[in-house]
C-alpha cells in the first residue's frame, strides 16, 4: 500500500485538507485517519476482473466509501457481461480490470481502475480511471475547490451516464502546465515530434482538453493525466505536481 513518505507530501495533503471548509473539523478527520486506512482485499470477481479493496471499519465515511466501491464492482461485472455479448470471439476479445493504489492515507485514498477492453470492432481500447476520496468525509475530492489556482471547471453530468462516473476537469492553465511538463519530461525525440501538437492547449476549443486528477503518494504529489481521444491516446502520459510546483501554480 502507498502511504505518505515525505514531509513535503504531508504538508501538501494536510494543507489541502484544511482548504475551503472548517479547519478544526477537517483536521480532526485527518488526525483520526493518521495511521492510514486498512484495506481489505476482496476475491477476484472473475479471472479477468480484479475487485476493488474495501476499507476496514464502520465510521460513516468508511461506510460511504465502501458502498461506492460495491457499486463500482457491480458496474464492472455488468460491463464485462455486456462486452461478452457484443464480442465476436476474435482472438484478444475480452474485458479486463486491474486496480492500483496510488495513495492509501493518511488523509486521502486513491484507487485507480485500469481497463483493457475489446468487445469486437476494429480496435481494442484502454482506460485508466482514478478516484480520490477524502477519508474524513467519505466524499470524493473536489479538485475544483482544492486547486483554485488552476481555475478548473468540472464537466457536467450527462443523462444516462453511470452514477459513479468520474468526470474530467478542464482549464487553460492546466493545459499549459501539462504541455510544459510533457515537453520537459519526454526524452524520446521521435515521440516529442509526433505528440507536441497534441499537447498544445486547445486555444480554439471552447471546452479545452479534459484531464483526470488524483492524489499520488508514491510520486509525492498530485497526478494529472490527459483524457485523450482514442486516436491520440498514445500521446498521453501522467505528470506529477510536487508541493513546490503546486505553490508556484497558486
Amino acid at each position: 500500500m502507498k502511504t505518505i513518505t515525505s514531509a513535503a507530501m504531508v504538508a501538501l495533503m494536510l494543507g489541502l485538507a484544511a482548504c475551503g471548509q472548517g479547519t478544526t473539523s477537517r483536521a480532526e478527520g485527518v488526525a483520526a485517519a493518521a495511521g492510514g486506512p486498512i484495506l481489505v482485499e476482496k476475491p477476484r470477481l472473475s479471472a479477468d476482473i480484479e475487485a476493488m479493496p474495501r476499507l476496514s471499519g464502520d465510521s460513516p465515511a468508511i461506510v460511504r466509501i465502501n458502498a461506492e466501491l460495491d457499486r463500482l464492482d457491480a458496474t464492472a461485472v455488468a460491463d464485462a457481461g455486456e462486452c461478452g455479448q457484443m464480442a465476436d470471439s476474435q482472438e484478444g476479445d475480452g474485458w479486463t480490470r486491474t486496480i492500483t493504489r496510488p495513495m492509501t492515507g493518511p488523509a486521502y485514498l486513491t484507487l485507480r481502475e485500469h481497463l483493457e477492453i475489446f468487445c469486437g470492432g476494429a480496435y481494442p481500447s484502454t482506460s485508466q480511471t482514478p478516484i480520490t476520496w477524502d477519508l474524513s468525509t467519505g466524499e470524493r475530492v473536489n479538485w475544483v475547490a482544492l486547486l483554485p489556482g488552476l481555475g478548473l471547471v468540472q464537466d457536467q453530468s450527462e443523462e444516462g451516464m453511470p452514477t459513479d462516473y468520474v468526470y474530467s476537469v478542464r482549464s487553460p492553465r492546466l493545459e499549459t502546465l501539462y504541455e510544459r511538463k510533457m515537453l520537459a519530461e519526454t526524452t524520446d525525440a521521435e515521440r516529442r515530434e509526433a505528440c507536441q501538437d497534441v499537447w498544445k492547449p486547445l486555444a480554439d476549443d471552447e471546452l479545452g482538453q479534459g484531464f483526470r486528477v488524483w492524489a499520488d503518494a508514491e510520486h509525492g504529489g498530485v497526478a494529472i493525466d490527459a483524457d485523450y481521444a482514442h486516436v491520440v491516446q498514445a500521446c498521453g502520459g501522467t505528470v506529477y505536481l510536487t508541493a513546490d510546483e503546486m505553490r508556484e501554480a497558486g
Side-chain angles (χ1 to χ4, degrees):
M1 293 192 295
K2 304 295 191 304
T3 58
I4 290 176
T5 57
S6 70
M9 189 62 185
V10 172
L12 169 65
M13 300 316 290
L14 290 181
L16 291 181
C19 288
Q21 298 190 36
T23 303
T24 300
S25 61
R26 301 279 294 171
E28 288 173 351
V30 172
I38 298 176
L39 292 182
V40 179
E41 300 301 331
K42 306 293 284 186
R44 298 183 70 88
L45 302 175
S46 76
D48 296 323
I49 306 175
E50 183 179 352
M52 290 284 190
R54 301 298 192 271
L55 290 171
S56 175
D58 57 5
S59 71
I62 288 176
V63 169
R64 187 176 294 118
I65 293 172
N66 282 342
E68 185 169 352
L69 295 173
D70 289 342
R71 294 194 300 271
L72 290 170
D73 273 355
T75 298
V77 172
D79 288 348
E82 291 181 9
C83 178
Q85 293 175 5
M86 292 164 43
D88 49 17
S89 300
Q90 296 183 50
E91 184 177 352
D93 280 354
W95 198 100
T96 301
R97 178 174 84 162
T98 56
I99 308 298
T100 55
R101 299 148 178 80
M103 187 166 189
T104 56
Y108 296 92
L109 168 70
T110 300
L111 300 177
R112 196 175 184 208
E113 177 187 67
H114 304 258
L115 300 181
E116 300 283 343
I117 302 171
F118 190 30
C119 306
Y123 303 103
S125 64
T126 64
S127 67
Q128 297 83 36
T129 302
I131 306 177
T132 299
W133 289 272
D134 182 331
L135 290 169
S136 69
T137 66
E139 301 289 346
R140 294 185 185 186
V141 165
N142 180 347
W143 293 111
V144 174
L146 289 184
L147 303 176
L150 294 179
L152 302 178
V153 176
Q154 181 173 298
D155 288 352
Q156 297 299 306
S157 59
E158 300 176 11
E159 185 176 351
M161 296 300 289
T163 302
D164 295 309
Y165 184 78
V166 179
Y167 290 92
S168 297
V169 295
R170 305 169 190 266
S171 83
R173 190 167 190 185
L174 183 56
E175 288 184 86
T176 300
L177 182 61
Y178 185 80
E179 178 194 29
R180 175 167 62 82
K181 295 279 286 185
M182 289 297 287
L183 287 171
E185 296 173 9
T186 301
T187 57
D188 186 311
E190 186 175 337
R191 184 168 189 258
R192 281 172 59 95
E193 179 67 24
C195 294
Q196 59 184 356
D197 286 341
V198 176
W199 297 331
K200 285 182 179 178
L202 301 175
D204 298 328
D205 189 311
E206 190 172 302
L207 291 176
Q209 175 60 47
F211 295 87
R212 299 285 174 84
V213 182
W214 66 97
D216 193 311
E218 182 176 12
H219 295 89
V222 170
I224 299 169
D225 201 352
D227 188 19
Y228 285 139
H230 182 76
V231 67
V232 293
Q233 207 170 58
C235 288
T238 303
V239 301
Y240 302 94
L241 299 183
T242 65
D244 288 341
E245 287 172 324
M246 289 187 66
R247 293 187 190 99
E248 181 183 343

